[in-house]
Amino acid sequence: MIGRYANPVIAGMHPDPSICRVGEHYYLACSSFEYFPGVPIFHSLDLVHWELIGNALDRPSQLPLDNAPSSGGVYAPTLRHYDGRFWLITSNVPHGGTLLVTSTDPAGPWSEPRALPGVQGIDPDLAWDDDGNCWCTFAGIEQVRIDPATGAALSRPRRIWSGTPGTQWPEAPHLYKVGDLWYLLIAEGGTERGHGISVARGPSPNGPFEPCPGNPILTHRSTDQPIQNTGHGDLVQAHDGSWWMVFLGIRPRGGTPGWHVLGRETFLAPVAWVDGWPVVDDVSPEMQADLLPQHPFPEPPARDDFDGADLHPRWISVRSRPGATWSLKDRPGWLTLHGRGGSLDDPAVSFVGRRQEHLSCRVRTLIDASAGRGGLAVRLDEQHHYEIEAGDGEICVRVRIGPVVQWRTARPEPTGPVVLRIETQASGPSPDHPRQEPDVVRLGFESSDGRFVVLDELDGRYLSTEVAGGFTGRVIGMYAAAGTVRFDWLSYDPTPDPP
């Protein structure tokens, strides 16, 4: 069925996608870095529409992140289905090493992690040969045979292929058997503008490997494409026999160098096989392809009223979420946060947020800060965040950009709970000048008649990867800086981008 779909298929900070198929069902995992719970798991019936069904690492025993720096933590999982089980291998950087978890249900629960001390590299992959041997290939590109039941290495690491000579950062390997040959897909060039995907093939899972003469098979380096940094892909054969690739990319905006604020997102492209090599279709925001029958999921509610017994899997916290710091029961129908860090500068801040998924959006929350101080924030890391904060009798805008901290504006706090609001407005796709910002961020509160009182309007470039560095994207959410702060609801609504 020839149809159209929009890229990205999973928006917001969902990089390093890994995909597997079970019958007519598709499952996908992404990196999560310093956020808890970790490794979001998505489900699809058509490769275009995806539903978040859980997080693989959702217990503190699975995911210790207390010592993880921003943009540390969980890197590049590989998700596979073998022998009736789901297998997920990933790395907890820098102190957790390589770990492996399994489950019979991708929505969880997943097992306690098994350590793999013989795998000394990020981006680990799993592949089983016809004899049942399990091969783990990782950034370098090196490979070791392992016992997945125990995590023990059964051979010494061996370098098998490192991509295009002279190209930096060979990583993100994935092995597949297609027909009688084994294909090794890797990313190279670094995850910035030079990113790309190359492939080689050989007679066995450990080679020897012959590189594709058309490498890289996907890259947008040195182009004016609106999607950039394309790389770190994974192949899947659909149940109708067609082939597809999921991969990461970004959507930069503004002038030079082009700032991306949402992080690296998950994109989809059809793949053809030509002379025994995979050929990736041109990648654009609007794609036309021979699609599987479409199975969209219901749109998630724009507003969370915190009426459930637990938080939805979309809600993430910074490094941990100890039970003593939050509750849905203290005041039923409200999310209660107890302060444990004085501000978002603190690595242990009490924070519950969700990934920003749209270039332009409106986020609102009803807050009761009568017993504390807290608010609504846009976070990239400890040194780059904007927040609108209530408490101590006033509403303030606080800005952290690198070593500079500034309280920008303040107003007396209205009596009783108040609606705090943040809006982002993307710049146009064609910048007006070379230094144009990627977007503006407006912070304020709503008056009793619902009018948006804007306390400050800030340049969005300072909450971008090009300024802050690292691998993450924006997360917007609620926090407590002191005392006890309660939130009745939070709504997230996309708004139109400039034409």
Side-chain angles (χ1 to χ4, degrees):
M1 177 185 72
I2 300 298
R4 295 182 178 275
Y5 68 93
N7 263 323
V9 292
I10 305 178
M13 183 184 59
H14 295 105
D16 310 326
S18 180
I19 189 170
C20 70
R21 175 173 70 89
V22 182
E24 298 185 4
H25 295 261
Y26 301 85
Y27 300 97
L28 186 146
C30 296
S31 296
S32 52
F33 303 101
E34 74 266 28
Y35 290 98
F36 178 90
V39 189
I41 304 291
F42 291 86
H43 170 239
S44 178
L45 294 165
D46 58 17
L47 296 171
V48 170
H49 302 93
W50 293 89
E51 180 182 40
L52 179 64
I53 59 173
N55 294 280
L57 306 178
D58 61 1
R59 303 187 300 276
S61 58
Q62 295 173 303
L63 188 58
L65 290 171
D66 288 347
N67 296 317
S70 289
S71 287
V74 175
Y75 283 13
T78 292
L79 178 64
R80 294 293 183 255
H81 187 263
Y82 177 77
D83 197 26
R85 299 187 69 82
F86 290 91
W87 304 75
L88 189 142
I89 188 171
T90 189
S91 302
N92 184 353
V93 177
H95 304 299
T98 304
L99 60 97
L100 175 66
V101 293
T102 68
S103 178
T104 56
D105 182 348
W110 290 75
S111 69
E112 288 297 304
R114 297 173 197 145
L116 285 83
V119 179
Q120 298 293 318
I122 62 170
D123 301 3
D125 174 69
L126 292 176
W128 285 262
D129 63 24
D130 293 340
D131 297 323
N133 296 308
C134 184
W135 300 92
C136 181
T137 310
F138 50 95
I141 301 291
E142 297 185 64
Q143 187 183 80
V144 62
R145 187 163 66 92
I146 66 167
D147 179 353
T150 65
L154 303 178
S155 65
R156 291 175 177 266
R158 174 176 172 266
R159 184 159 297 224
I160 55 174
W161 185 58
S162 293
T164 305
T167 302
Q168 66 175 351
W169 300 116
E171 57 189 3
H174 291 304
L175 265 176
Y176 320 88
K177 188 176 185 185
V178 182
D180 294 328
L181 294 175
W182 285 84
Y183 288 80
L184 174 59
L185 193 76
I186 73 166
E188 57 184 12
T191 195
E192 297 80 30
R193 296 296 195 270
H195 213 21
I197 296 174
S198 292
V199 66
R201 67 186 182 192
S204 76
N206 48 19
F209 287 100
E210 163 201 6
C212 174
N215 281 335
I217 62 171
L218 174 63
T219 186
H220 279 184
R221 63 180 68 133
S222 300
T223 71
D224 62 356
Q225 295 289 336
I227 300 167
Q228 288 291 322
N229 299 32
T230 51
H232 202 121
D234 199 4
L235 290 166
V236 66
Q237 185 177 23
H239 58 273
D240 69 348
S242 61
W243 284 82
W244 299 80
M245 181 185 285
V246 293
F247 54 95
L248 68 78
I250 66 164
R251 292 181 283 169
R253 287 276 180 143
T256 298
W259 295 274
H260 76 282
V261 302
L262 303 186
R264 299 166 299 161
E265 306 174 279
T266 290
F267 294 79
L268 173 73
V271 173
W273 288 84
V274 179
D275 298 327
W277 294 106
V279 177
V280 185
D281 202 358
D282 292 337
V283 177
S284 63
E286 297 293 330
M287 300 285 292
Q288 180 172 304
D290 190 2
L291 300 176
L292 298 174
Q294 296 296 277
H295 291 277
F297 297 102
E299 286 290 328
R303 173 166 150 163
D304 193 328
D305 286 295
F306 304 120
D307 291 329
D310 205 347
L311 289 172
H312 189 278
R314 77 171 65 89
W315 294 109
I316 54 178
S317 297
V318 181
R319 295 181 180 82
S320 64
R321 190 189 295 157
T325 65
W326 72 282
S327 174
L328 294 174
K329 298 177 181 178
D330 284 0
R331 182 187 290 181
W334 293 65
L335 169 65
T336 298
L337 296 181
H338 303 289
R340 61 169 177 155
S343 71
L344 271 83
D345 304 344
D346 194 315
V349 64
S350 291
F351 175 87
V352 174
R354 54 170 293 165
R355 295 162 174 88
Q356 182 181 338
E357 298 176 356
H358 301 83
L359 297 169
S360 302
C361 66
R362 178 188 305 117
V363 184
R364 305 163 64 237
T365 188
L366 179 63
I367 180 175
D368 179 355
S370 58
R373 185 166 45 84
L376 187 62
V378 187
R379 180 189 190 274
L380 198 69
D381 59 31
E382 278 78 35
Q383 295 189 344
H384 301 85
H385 47 84
Y386 303 159
E387 52 261 33
I388 178 79
E389 185 169 295
D392 298 332
E394 63 181 8
I395 298 176
C396 307
V397 172
R398 186 176 187 271
V399 175
R400 171 76 187 263
I401 302 171
V404 178
V405 179
Q406 187 177 52
W407 293 94
R408 299 270 298 183
T409 53
R411 289 282 187 89
E413 185 178 3
T415 303
V418 63
V419 175
L420 303 182
R421 181 162 154 181
I422 292 176
E423 293 184 355
T424 67
Q425 180 65 57
S427 62
S430 299
D432 295 330
H433 56 83
R435 295 190 66 257
Q436 181 169 323
E437 69 280 348
D439 65 348
V440 295
V441 181
R442 301 182 181 97
L443 303 96
F445 66 96
E446 294 185 4
S447 62
S448 58
D449 60 1
R451 180 173 57 91
F452 184 24
V453 181
V454 179
L455 294 188
D456 219 334
E457 181 174 293
L458 302 169
D459 187 330
R461 82 186 68 203
Y462 303 108
L463 303 187
S464 72
T465 298
E466 283 73 18
V467 169
F471 302 122
T472 60
R474 289 182 187 167
V475 177
I476 303 180
M478 304 151 287
Y479 71 96
T484 296
V485 185
R486 294 183 169 91
F487 302 86
D488 187 19
W489 49 263
L490 183 140
S491 65
Y492 175 102
D493 295 283
T495 55
D497 295 330

